PDB file of all heavy atoms in Angstrom:
ATOM      1  N   CYS A 285      20.816  13.014  46.826  1.00 97.00           N
ATOM      2  CA  CYS A 285      20.824  13.866  48.013  1.00 97.00           C
ATOM      3  C   CYS A 285      22.228  14.446  48.189  1.00 97.00           C
ATOM      4  O   CYS A 285      23.219  13.703  48.159  1.00 97.00           O
ATOM      5  CB  CYS A 285      20.473  13.016  49.229  1.00 97.00           C
ATOM      6  SG  CYS A 285      18.912  12.159  49.009  1.00 97.00           S
ATOM      7  N   ALA A 288      24.086  12.752  51.030  1.00 98.00           N
ATOM      8  CA  ALA A 288      24.426  11.324  50.995  1.00 98.00           C
ATOM      9  C   ALA A 288      25.918  11.160  50.725  1.00 98.00           C
ATOM     10  O   ALA A 288      26.516  11.961  50.015  1.00 98.00           O
ATOM     11  CB  ALA A 288      23.629  10.639  49.895  1.00 98.00           C
ATOM     12  N   LEU A 289      26.506  10.118  51.283  1.00 98.00           N
ATOM     13  CA  LEU A 289      27.904   9.806  50.975  1.00 98.00           C
ATOM     14  C   LEU A 289      27.931   8.878  49.763  1.00 98.00           C
ATOM     15  O   LEU A 289      27.179   7.907  49.710  1.00 98.00           O
ATOM     16  CB  LEU A 289      28.581   9.109  52.162  1.00 98.00           C
ATOM     17  CG  LEU A 289      28.586   9.840  53.505  1.00 98.00           C
ATOM     18  CD1 LEU A 289      29.447   9.065  54.513  1.00 98.00           C
ATOM     19  CD2 LEU A 289      29.102  11.265  53.356  1.00 98.00           C
ATOM     20  N   LEU A 291      29.707   6.055  47.802  1.00 98.00           N
ATOM     21  CA  LEU A 291      30.664   4.998  48.152  1.00 98.00           C
ATOM     22  C   LEU A 291      30.972   4.122  46.945  1.00 98.00           C
ATOM     23  O   LEU A 291      30.124   3.959  46.054  1.00 98.00           O
ATOM     24  CB  LEU A 291      30.080   4.095  49.251  1.00 98.00           C
ATOM     25  CG  LEU A 291      29.376   4.774  50.445  1.00 98.00           C
ATOM     26  CD1 LEU A 291      28.928   3.701  51.429  1.00 98.00           C
ATOM     27  CD2 LEU A 291      30.285   5.794  51.114  1.00 98.00           C
ATOM     28  N   TRP A 325      27.351   3.403  45.480  1.00 98.00           N
ATOM     29  CA  TRP A 325      26.317   3.394  46.520  1.00 98.00           C
ATOM     30  C   TRP A 325      26.170   4.788  47.105  1.00 98.00           C
ATOM     31  O   TRP A 325      27.164   5.486  47.295  1.00 98.00           O
ATOM     32  CB  TRP A 325      26.711   2.450  47.666  1.00 98.00           C
ATOM     33  CG  TRP A 325      26.767   1.003  47.303  1.00 98.00           C
ATOM     34  CD1 TRP A 325      27.890   0.263  47.061  1.00 98.00           C
ATOM     35  CD2 TRP A 325      25.662   0.114  47.156  1.00 98.00           C
ATOM     36  NE1 TRP A 325      27.549  -1.036  46.775  1.00 98.00           N
ATOM     37  CE2 TRP A 325      26.184  -1.151  46.828  1.00 98.00           C
ATOM     38  CE3 TRP A 325      24.272   0.259  47.268  1.00 98.00           C
ATOM     39  CZ2 TRP A 325      25.381  -2.268  46.605  1.00 98.00           C
ATOM     40  CZ3 TRP A 325      23.465  -0.847  47.041  1.00 98.00           C
ATOM     41  CH2 TRP A 325      24.013  -2.088  46.718  1.00 98.00           C
ATOM     42  N   HIS A 326      24.925   5.155  47.399  1.00 98.00           N
ATOM     43  CA  HIS A 326      24.683   6.381  48.160  1.00 98.00           C
ATOM     44  C   HIS A 326      24.279   5.922  49.554  1.00 98.00           C
ATOM     45  O   HIS A 326      23.316   5.157  49.694  1.00 98.00           O
ATOM     46  CB  HIS A 326      23.534   7.198  47.561  1.00 98.00           C
ATOM     47  CG  HIS A 326      23.801   7.643  46.159  1.00 98.00           C
ATOM     48  ND1 HIS A 326      23.693   8.934  45.742  1.00 98.00           N
ATOM     49  CD2 HIS A 326      24.210   6.944  45.073  1.00 98.00           C
ATOM     50  CE1 HIS A 326      24.009   9.022  44.468  1.00 98.00           C
ATOM     51  NE2 HIS A 326      24.316   7.824  44.039  1.00 98.00           N
ATOM     52  N   LEU A 327      25.012   6.389  50.536  1.00 98.00           N
ATOM     53  CA  LEU A 327      24.684   6.023  51.922  1.00 98.00           C
ATOM     54  C   LEU A 327      24.047   7.237  52.595  1.00 98.00           C
ATOM     55  O   LEU A 327      24.621   8.336  52.597  1.00 98.00           O
ATOM     56  CB  LEU A 327      25.956   5.609  52.662  1.00 98.00           C
ATOM     57  CG  LEU A 327      25.775   5.245  54.143  1.00 98.00           C
ATOM     58  CD1 LEU A 327      24.894   4.005  54.312  1.00 98.00           C
ATOM     59  CD2 LEU A 327      27.151   5.003  54.802  1.00 98.00           C
ATOM     60  N   LEU A 328      22.871   7.030  53.159  1.00 98.00           N
ATOM     61  CA  LEU A 328      22.146   8.145  53.784  1.00 98.00           C
ATOM     62  C   LEU A 328      21.216   7.594  54.857  1.00 98.00           C
ATOM     63  O   LEU A 328      21.270   6.408  55.183  1.00 98.00           O
ATOM     64  CB  LEU A 328      21.369   8.933  52.727  1.00 98.00           C
ATOM     65  CG  LEU A 328      20.270   8.227  51.918  1.00 98.00           C
ATOM     66  CD1 LEU A 328      19.321   9.271  51.323  1.00 98.00           C
ATOM     67  CD2 LEU A 328      20.840   7.407  50.766  1.00 98.00           C
ATOM     68  N   ASN A 329      20.391   8.471  55.382  1.00 98.00           N
ATOM     69  CA  ASN A 329      19.382   8.011  56.329  1.00 98.00           C
ATOM     70  C   ASN A 329      18.033   8.607  55.935  1.00 98.00           C
ATOM     71  O   ASN A 329      17.939   9.431  55.013  1.00 98.00           O
ATOM     72  CB  ASN A 329      19.777   8.355  57.774  1.00 98.00           C
ATOM     73  CG  ASN A 329      20.037   9.840  57.936  1.00 98.00           C
ATOM     74  OD1 ASN A 329      19.366  10.666  57.321  1.00 98.00           O
ATOM     75  ND2 ASN A 329      21.014  10.192  58.763  1.00 98.00           N
ATOM     76  N   TRP A 330      16.996   8.194  56.648  1.00 98.00           N
ATOM     77  CA  TRP A 330      15.633   8.603  56.279  1.00 98.00           C
ATOM     78  C   TRP A 330      15.466  10.118  56.348  1.00 98.00           C
ATOM     79  O   TRP A 330      14.828  10.730  55.495  1.00 98.00           O
ATOM     80  CB  TRP A 330      14.629   7.894  57.202  1.00 98.00           C
ATOM     81  CG  TRP A 330      13.223   7.935  56.684  1.00 98.00           C
ATOM     82  CD1 TRP A 330      12.250   8.829  57.013  1.00 98.00           C
ATOM     83  CD2 TRP A 330      12.638   7.052  55.724  1.00 98.00           C
ATOM     84  NE1 TRP A 330      11.099   8.565  56.330  1.00 98.00           N
ATOM     85  CE2 TRP A 330      11.300   7.463  55.530  1.00 98.00           C
ATOM     86  CE3 TRP A 330      13.103   5.928  55.014  1.00 98.00           C
ATOM     87  CZ2 TRP A 330      10.420   6.815  54.661  1.00 98.00           C
ATOM     88  CZ3 TRP A 330      12.222   5.288  54.145  1.00 98.00           C
ATOM     89  CH2 TRP A 330      10.911   5.740  53.981  1.00 98.00           C
ATOM     90  N   ARG A 331      16.090  10.726  57.371  1.00 97.00           N
ATOM     91  CA  ARG A 331      15.992  12.183  57.535  1.00 97.00           C
ATOM     92  C   ARG A 331      16.487  12.911  56.274  1.00 97.00           C
ATOM     93  O   ARG A 331      15.861  13.864  55.810  1.00 97.00           O
ATOM     94  CB  ARG A 331      16.845  12.599  58.751  1.00 97.00           C
ATOM     95  CG  ARG A 331      17.120  14.091  58.866  1.00 97.00           C
ATOM     96  CD  ARG A 331      18.049  14.372  60.057  1.00 97.00           C
ATOM     97  NE  ARG A 331      18.514  15.746  60.062  1.00 97.00           N
ATOM     98  CZ  ARG A 331      19.654  16.156  59.513  1.00 97.00           C
ATOM     99  NH1 ARG A 331      20.464  15.294  58.902  1.00 97.00           N
ATOM    100  NH2 ARG A 331      19.997  17.424  59.555  1.00 97.00           N
ATOM    101  N   ILE A 332      17.588  12.436  55.731  1.00 98.00           N
ATOM    102  CA  ILE A 332      18.138  13.064  54.520  1.00 98.00           C
ATOM    103  C   ILE A 332      17.212  12.784  53.334  1.00 98.00           C
ATOM    104  O   ILE A 332      16.872  13.688  52.555  1.00 98.00           O
ATOM    105  CB  ILE A 332      19.557  12.521  54.221  1.00 98.00           C
ATOM    106  CG1 ILE A 332      20.531  12.917  55.335  1.00 98.00           C
ATOM    107  CG2 ILE A 332      20.051  12.989  52.867  1.00 98.00           C
ATOM    108  CD1 ILE A 332      21.912  12.259  55.225  1.00 98.00           C
ATOM    109  N   ALA A 333      16.791  11.536  53.209  1.00 98.00           N
ATOM    110  CA  ALA A 333      16.024  11.140  52.021  1.00 98.00           C
ATOM    111  C   ALA A 333      14.740  11.955  51.878  1.00 98.00           C
ATOM    112  O   ALA A 333      14.415  12.435  50.794  1.00 98.00           O
ATOM    113  CB  ALA A 333      15.712   9.643  52.079  1.00 98.00           C
ATOM    114  N   ILE A 334      14.010  12.127  52.967  1.00 97.00           N
ATOM    115  CA  ILE A 334      12.705  12.801  52.823  1.00 97.00           C
ATOM    116  C   ILE A 334      12.864  14.279  52.473  1.00 97.00           C
ATOM    117  O   ILE A 334      11.992  14.884  51.880  1.00 97.00           O
ATOM    118  CB  ILE A 334      11.816  12.644  54.083  1.00 97.00           C
ATOM    119  CG1 ILE A 334      12.550  13.162  55.321  1.00 97.00           C
ATOM    120  CG2 ILE A 334      11.355  11.206  54.252  1.00 97.00           C
ATOM    121  CD1 ILE A 334      11.646  13.350  56.519  1.00 97.00           C
ATOM    122  N   LEU A 337      15.757  13.852  48.568  1.00 96.00           N
ATOM    123  CA  LEU A 337      15.640  12.985  47.389  1.00 96.00           C
ATOM    124  C   LEU A 337      14.641  13.556  46.385  1.00 96.00           C
ATOM    125  O   LEU A 337      13.547  13.989  46.753  1.00 96.00           O
ATOM    126  CB  LEU A 337      15.183  11.570  47.789  1.00 96.00           C
ATOM    127  CG  LEU A 337      15.082  10.611  46.595  1.00 96.00           C
ATOM    128  CD1 LEU A 337      16.461  10.137  46.159  1.00 96.00           C
ATOM    129  CD2 LEU A 337      14.193   9.423  46.892  1.00 96.00           C
ATOM    130  N   LEU A 367       7.333  10.075  48.390  1.00 96.00           N
ATOM    131  CA  LEU A 367       8.241   9.694  47.297  1.00 96.00           C
ATOM    132  C   LEU A 367       9.241   8.626  47.764  1.00 96.00           C
ATOM    133  O   LEU A 367       9.505   7.650  47.063  1.00 96.00           O
ATOM    134  CB  LEU A 367       8.992  10.927  46.780  1.00 96.00           C
ATOM    135  CG  LEU A 367      10.002  10.649  45.678  1.00 96.00           C
ATOM    136  CD1 LEU A 367       9.302  10.212  44.387  1.00 96.00           C
ATOM    137  CD2 LEU A 367      10.870  11.869  45.389  1.00 96.00           C
ATOM    138  N   VAL A 368       9.764   8.820  48.979  1.00 97.00           N
ATOM    139  CA  VAL A 368      10.768   7.863  49.469  1.00 97.00           C
ATOM    140  C   VAL A 368      10.123   6.481  49.650  1.00 97.00           C
ATOM    141  O   VAL A 368      10.674   5.455  49.219  1.00 97.00           O
ATOM    142  CB  VAL A 368      11.416   8.364  50.780  1.00 97.00           C
ATOM    143  CG1 VAL A 368      12.476   7.384  51.270  1.00 97.00           C
ATOM    144  CG2 VAL A 368      12.043   9.744  50.582  1.00 97.00           C
ATOM    145  N   LYS A 369       8.919   6.482  50.227  1.00 97.00           N
ATOM    146  CA  LYS A 369       8.230   5.183  50.419  1.00 97.00           C
ATOM    147  C   LYS A 369       7.940   4.536  49.070  1.00 97.00           C
ATOM    148  O   LYS A 369       8.085   3.321  48.906  1.00 97.00           O
ATOM    149  CB  LYS A 369       6.909   5.410  51.169  1.00 97.00           C
ATOM    150  CG  LYS A 369       7.091   5.592  52.657  1.00 97.00           C
ATOM    151  CD  LYS A 369       5.732   5.692  53.319  1.00 97.00           C
ATOM    152  CE  LYS A 369       5.899   6.075  54.775  1.00 97.00           C
ATOM    153  NZ  LYS A 369       4.707   6.708  55.329  1.00 97.00           N
ATOM    154  N   MET A 371       9.592   4.857  46.247  1.00 97.00           N
ATOM    155  CA  MET A 371      10.803   4.314  45.630  1.00 97.00           C
ATOM    156  C   MET A 371      11.266   3.055  46.360  1.00 97.00           C
ATOM    157  O   MET A 371      11.708   2.092  45.733  1.00 97.00           O
ATOM    158  CB  MET A 371      11.922   5.366  45.597  1.00 97.00           C
ATOM    159  CG  MET A 371      11.673   6.527  44.647  1.00 97.00           C
ATOM    160  SD  MET A 371      11.026   6.071  43.020  1.00 97.00           S
ATOM    161  CE  MET A 371      12.389   5.139  42.332  1.00 97.00           C
ATOM    162  N   VAL A 372      11.153   3.067  47.698  1.00 97.00           N
ATOM    163  CA  VAL A 372      11.565   1.879  48.464  1.00 97.00           C
ATOM    164  C   VAL A 372      10.674   0.697  48.083  1.00 97.00           C
ATOM    165  O   VAL A 372      11.131  -0.447  47.946  1.00 97.00           O
ATOM    166  CB  VAL A 372      11.493   2.169  49.978  1.00 97.00           C
ATOM    167  CG1 VAL A 372      11.689   0.894  50.788  1.00 97.00           C
ATOM    168  CG2 VAL A 372      12.540   3.222  50.370  1.00 97.00           C
ATOM    169  N   HIS A 377      16.508  -1.258  44.157  1.00 98.00           N
ATOM    170  CA  HIS A 377      17.809  -0.605  44.334  1.00 98.00           C
ATOM    171  C   HIS A 377      17.822   0.355  45.514  1.00 98.00           C
ATOM    172  O   HIS A 377      18.861   0.924  45.841  1.00 98.00           O
ATOM    173  CB  HIS A 377      18.210   0.100  43.036  1.00 98.00           C
ATOM    174  CG  HIS A 377      18.427  -0.884  41.931  1.00 98.00           C
ATOM    175  ND1 HIS A 377      19.668  -1.294  41.539  1.00 98.00           N
ATOM    176  CD2 HIS A 377      17.554  -1.600  41.210  1.00 98.00           C
ATOM    177  CE1 HIS A 377      19.543  -2.210  40.599  1.00 98.00           C
ATOM    178  NE2 HIS A 377      18.265  -2.416  40.380  1.00 98.00           N
ATOM    179  N   PHE A 378      16.688   0.544  46.137  1.00 98.00           N
ATOM    180  CA  PHE A 378      16.589   1.348  47.362  1.00 98.00           C
ATOM    181  C   PHE A 378      16.535   0.388  48.550  1.00 98.00           C
ATOM    182  O   PHE A 378      15.564  -0.355  48.698  1.00 98.00           O
ATOM    183  CB  PHE A 378      15.309   2.202  47.340  1.00 98.00           C
ATOM    184  CG  PHE A 378      15.427   3.457  46.525  1.00 98.00           C
ATOM    185  CD1 PHE A 378      15.580   3.400  45.150  1.00 98.00           C
ATOM    186  CD2 PHE A 378      15.368   4.706  47.134  1.00 98.00           C
ATOM    187  CE1 PHE A 378      15.688   4.554  44.393  1.00 98.00           C
ATOM    188  CE2 PHE A 378      15.473   5.870  46.386  1.00 98.00           C
ATOM    189  CZ  PHE A 378      15.630   5.789  45.008  1.00 98.00           C
ATOM    190  N   LEU A 379      17.573   0.412  49.386  1.00 98.00           N
ATOM    191  CA  LEU A 379      17.646  -0.531  50.509  1.00 98.00           C
ATOM    192  C   LEU A 379      17.521   0.230  51.821  1.00 98.00           C
ATOM    193  O   LEU A 379      18.066   1.329  51.972  1.00 98.00           O
ATOM    194  CB  LEU A 379      18.980  -1.271  50.469  1.00 98.00           C
ATOM    195  CG  LEU A 379      19.309  -1.962  49.139  1.00 98.00           C
ATOM    196  CD1 LEU A 379      20.710  -2.548  49.176  1.00 98.00           C
ATOM    197  CD2 LEU A 379      18.286  -3.038  48.825  1.00 98.00           C
ATOM    198  N   VAL A 380      16.836  -0.377  52.765  1.00 98.00           N
ATOM    199  CA  VAL A 380      16.602   0.278  54.061  1.00 98.00           C
ATOM    200  C   VAL A 380      16.890  -0.724  55.174  1.00 98.00           C
ATOM    201  O   VAL A 380      16.503  -1.896  55.064  1.00 98.00           O
ATOM    202  CB  VAL A 380      15.119   0.727  54.175  1.00 98.00           C
ATOM    203  CG1 VAL A 380      14.873   1.458  55.479  1.00 98.00           C
ATOM    204  CG2 VAL A 380      14.718   1.600  53.002  1.00 98.00           C
ATOM    205  N   ASP A 381      17.575  -0.273  56.221  1.00 98.00           N
ATOM    206  CA  ASP A 381      17.773  -1.151  57.378  1.00 98.00           C
ATOM    207  C   ASP A 381      18.061  -0.317  58.625  1.00 98.00           C
ATOM    208  O   ASP A 381      18.593   0.789  58.533  1.00 98.00           O
ATOM    209  CB  ASP A 381      18.934  -2.134  57.140  1.00 98.00           C
ATOM    210  CG  ASP A 381      18.783  -3.375  57.988  1.00 98.00           C
ATOM    211  OD1 ASP A 381      19.164  -3.331  59.185  1.00 98.00           O
ATOM    212  OD2 ASP A 381      18.241  -4.382  57.473  1.00 98.00           O
ATOM    213  N   ASP A 382      17.727  -0.887  59.771  1.00 98.00           N
ATOM    214  CA  ASP A 382      17.959  -0.164  61.028  1.00 98.00           C
ATOM    215  C   ASP A 382      19.427  -0.143  61.422  1.00 98.00           C
ATOM    216  O   ASP A 382      19.839   0.704  62.209  1.00 98.00           O
ATOM    217  CB  ASP A 382      17.148  -0.819  62.156  1.00 98.00           C
ATOM    218  CG  ASP A 382      15.672  -0.494  62.006  1.00 98.00           C
ATOM    219  OD1 ASP A 382      15.369   0.603  61.485  1.00 98.00           O
ATOM    220  OD2 ASP A 382      14.835  -1.344  62.362  1.00 98.00           O
ATOM    221  N   THR A 383      20.204  -1.106  60.913  1.00 98.00           N
ATOM    222  CA  THR A 383      21.625  -1.140  61.293  1.00 98.00           C
ATOM    223  C   THR A 383      22.500  -1.117  60.046  1.00 98.00           C
ATOM    224  O   THR A 383      22.076  -1.554  58.962  1.00 98.00           O
ATOM    225  CB  THR A 383      21.968  -2.429  62.077  1.00 98.00           C
ATOM    226  OG1 THR A 383      21.800  -3.538  61.189  1.00 98.00           O
ATOM    227  CG2 THR A 383      21.068  -2.612  63.294  1.00 98.00           C
ATOM    228  N   LEU A 384      23.731  -0.651  60.225  1.00 98.00           N
ATOM    229  CA  LEU A 384      24.655  -0.619  59.087  1.00 98.00           C
ATOM    230  C   LEU A 384      25.049  -2.044  58.688  1.00 98.00           C
ATOM    231  O   LEU A 384      25.238  -2.335  57.507  1.00 98.00           O
ATOM    232  CB  LEU A 384      25.889   0.219  59.443  1.00 98.00           C
ATOM    233  CG  LEU A 384      25.618   1.734  59.488  1.00 98.00           C
ATOM    234  CD1 LEU A 384      26.814   2.483  60.077  1.00 98.00           C
ATOM    235  CD2 LEU A 384      25.291   2.279  58.104  1.00 98.00           C
ATOM    236  N   LEU A 387      22.326  -3.338  56.623  1.00 98.00           N
ATOM    237  CA  LEU A 387      22.352  -2.687  55.312  1.00 98.00           C
ATOM    238  C   LEU A 387      23.437  -3.313  54.427  1.00 98.00           C
ATOM    239  O   LEU A 387      23.209  -3.581  53.245  1.00 98.00           O
ATOM    240  CB  LEU A 387      22.625  -1.182  55.498  1.00 98.00           C
ATOM    241  CG  LEU A 387      22.260  -0.285  54.323  1.00 98.00           C
ATOM    242  CD1 LEU A 387      20.761  -0.319  54.044  1.00 98.00           C
ATOM    243  CD2 LEU A 387      22.701   1.155  54.577  1.00 98.00           C
ATOM    244  N   MET A 391      23.087  -4.850  50.746  1.00 98.00           N
ATOM    245  CA  MET A 391      23.859  -4.338  49.601  1.00 98.00           C
ATOM    246  C   MET A 391      24.528  -5.521  48.883  1.00 98.00           C
ATOM    247  O   MET A 391      24.519  -5.593  47.653  1.00 98.00           O
ATOM    248  CB  MET A 391      24.912  -3.329  50.092  1.00 98.00           C
ATOM    249  CG  MET A 391      24.301  -2.028  50.597  1.00 98.00           C
ATOM    250  SD  MET A 391      25.401  -1.082  51.702  1.00 98.00           S
ATOM    251  CE  MET A 391      26.442  -0.216  50.542  1.00 98.00           C
ATOM    252  N   LEU A 405      31.807  -0.532  56.165  1.00 98.00           N
ATOM    253  CA  LEU A 405      30.693   0.423  56.079  1.00 98.00           C
ATOM    254  C   LEU A 405      30.581   1.226  57.378  1.00 98.00           C
ATOM    255  O   LEU A 405      30.373   2.445  57.365  1.00 98.00           O
ATOM    256  CB  LEU A 405      29.389  -0.340  55.805  1.00 98.00           C
ATOM    257  CG  LEU A 405      28.218   0.512  55.340  1.00 98.00           C
ATOM    258  CD1 LEU A 405      28.512   1.153  53.975  1.00 98.00           C
ATOM    259  CD2 LEU A 405      26.934  -0.331  55.234  1.00 98.00           C
ATOM    260  N   LEU A 450      25.533  10.953  60.278  1.00 98.00           N
ATOM    261  CA  LEU A 450      24.671   9.945  59.641  1.00 98.00           C
ATOM    262  C   LEU A 450      23.967   9.091  60.686  1.00 98.00           C
ATOM    263  O   LEU A 450      22.842   8.648  60.509  1.00 98.00           O
ATOM    264  CB  LEU A 450      25.534   9.025  58.781  1.00 98.00           C
ATOM    265  CG  LEU A 450      25.659   9.321  57.299  1.00 98.00           C
ATOM    266  CD1 LEU A 450      26.636   8.346  56.677  1.00 98.00           C
ATOM    267  CD2 LEU A 450      24.315   9.221  56.614  1.00 98.00           C
ATOM    268  N   ALA A 455      17.420   9.725  63.257  1.00 97.00           N
ATOM    269  CA  ALA A 455      17.504  10.074  61.829  1.00 97.00           C
ATOM    270  C   ALA A 455      17.283   8.857  60.931  1.00 97.00           C
ATOM    271  O   ALA A 455      17.163   8.990  59.721  1.00 97.00           O
ATOM    272  CB  ALA A 455      18.863  10.689  61.520  1.00 97.00           C
ATOM    273  N   GLY A 456      17.235   7.678  61.518  1.00 92.00           N
ATOM    274  CA  GLY A 456      17.146   6.442  60.749  1.00 92.00           C
ATOM    275  C   GLY A 456      15.754   6.140  60.260  1.00 92.00           C
ATOM    276  O   GLY A 456      14.858   6.949  60.470  1.00 92.00           O
ATOM    277  N   PRO A 457      15.619   4.997  59.613  1.00 98.00           N
ATOM    278  CA  PRO A 457      16.619   3.961  59.373  1.00 98.00           C
ATOM    279  C   PRO A 457      17.663   4.403  58.338  1.00 98.00           C
ATOM    280  O   PRO A 457      17.513   5.426  57.700  1.00 98.00           O
ATOM    281  CB  PRO A 457      15.776   2.798  58.834  1.00 98.00           C
ATOM    282  CG  PRO A 457      14.586   3.447  58.200  1.00 98.00           C
ATOM    283  CD  PRO A 457      14.308   4.660  59.028  1.00 98.00           C
ATOM    284  N   PHE A 458      18.723   3.583  58.209  1.00 98.00           N
ATOM    285  CA  PHE A 458      19.752   3.858  57.201  1.00 98.00           C
ATOM    286  C   PHE A 458      19.236   3.447  55.820  1.00 98.00           C
ATOM    287  O   PHE A 458      18.384   2.549  55.709  1.00 98.00           O
ATOM    288  CB  PHE A 458      21.033   3.058  57.497  1.00 98.00           C
ATOM    289  CG  PHE A 458      21.676   3.459  58.786  1.00 98.00           C
ATOM    290  CD1 PHE A 458      21.679   2.597  59.882  1.00 98.00           C
ATOM    291  CD2 PHE A 458      22.282   4.705  58.899  1.00 98.00           C
ATOM    292  CE1 PHE A 458      22.273   2.967  61.072  1.00 98.00           C
ATOM    293  CE2 PHE A 458      22.879   5.085  60.104  1.00 98.00           C
ATOM    294  CZ  PHE A 458      22.857   4.218  61.184  1.00 98.00           C
ATOM    295  N   MET A 459      19.784   4.099  54.821  1.00 98.00           N
ATOM    296  CA  MET A 459      19.416   3.724  53.449  1.00 98.00           C
ATOM    297  C   MET A 459      20.673   3.611  52.594  1.00 98.00           C
ATOM    298  O   MET A 459      21.638   4.348  52.806  1.00 98.00           O
ATOM    299  CB  MET A 459      18.522   4.799  52.812  1.00 98.00           C
ATOM    300  CG  MET A 459      17.137   4.882  53.420  1.00 98.00           C
ATOM    301  SD  MET A 459      16.143   6.146  52.589  1.00 98.00           S
ATOM    302  CE  MET A 459      15.900   5.379  51.001  1.00 98.00           C
ATOM    303  N   ALA A 460      20.615   2.713  51.623  1.00 98.00           N
ATOM    304  CA  ALA A 460      21.666   2.646  50.593  1.00 98.00           C
ATOM    305  C   ALA A 460      20.945   2.561  49.251  1.00 98.00           C
ATOM    306  O   ALA A 460      19.963   1.824  49.111  1.00 98.00           O
ATOM    307  CB  ALA A 460      22.550   1.424  50.798  1.00 98.00           C
ATOM    308  N   ILE A 461      21.408   3.357  48.302  1.00 98.00           N
ATOM    309  CA  ILE A 461      20.811   3.313  46.956  1.00 98.00           C
ATOM    310  C   ILE A 461      21.925   2.966  45.986  1.00 98.00           C
ATOM    311  O   ILE A 461      22.988   3.606  45.982  1.00 98.00           O
ATOM    312  CB  ILE A 461      20.194   4.674  46.558  1.00 98.00           C
ATOM    313  CG1 ILE A 461      19.285   5.222  47.669  1.00 98.00           C
ATOM    314  CG2 ILE A 461      19.407   4.550  45.262  1.00 98.00           C
ATOM    315  CD1 ILE A 461      18.807   6.656  47.430  1.00 98.00           C
ATOM    316  N   GLN A 462      21.697   1.923  45.192  1.00 98.00           N
ATOM    317  CA  GLN A 462      22.711   1.558  44.196  1.00 98.00           C
ATOM    318  C   GLN A 462      22.381   2.275  42.885  1.00 98.00           C
ATOM    319  O   GLN A 462      21.277   2.123  42.358  1.00 98.00           O
ATOM    320  CB  GLN A 462      22.710   0.047  43.957  1.00 98.00           C
ATOM    321  CG  GLN A 462      23.888  -0.420  43.136  1.00 98.00           C
ATOM    322  CD  GLN A 462      23.700  -1.819  42.589  1.00 98.00           C
ATOM    323  OE1 GLN A 462      22.656  -2.154  42.041  1.00 98.00           O
ATOM    324  NE2 GLN A 462      24.714  -2.649  42.738  1.00 98.00           N
TER     325      GLN A 462
END
Side-chain angles (χ1 to χ4, degrees):
C285 305
L289 303 187
L291 315 182
W325 294 103
H326 299 232
L327 178 64
L328 62 160
N329 56 36
W330 196 264
R331 166 184 170 267
I332 295 172
I334 56 166
L337 182 77
L367 178 68
V368 181
K369 281 185 188 157
M371 291 316 295
V372 171
H377 295 259
F378 280 67
L379 307 175
V380 182
D381 205 278
D382 286 329
T383 66
L384 287 170
L387 199 63
M391 291 159 82
L405 195 64
L450 264 176
F458 296 111
M459 291 181 69
I461 311 171
Q462 190 195 47

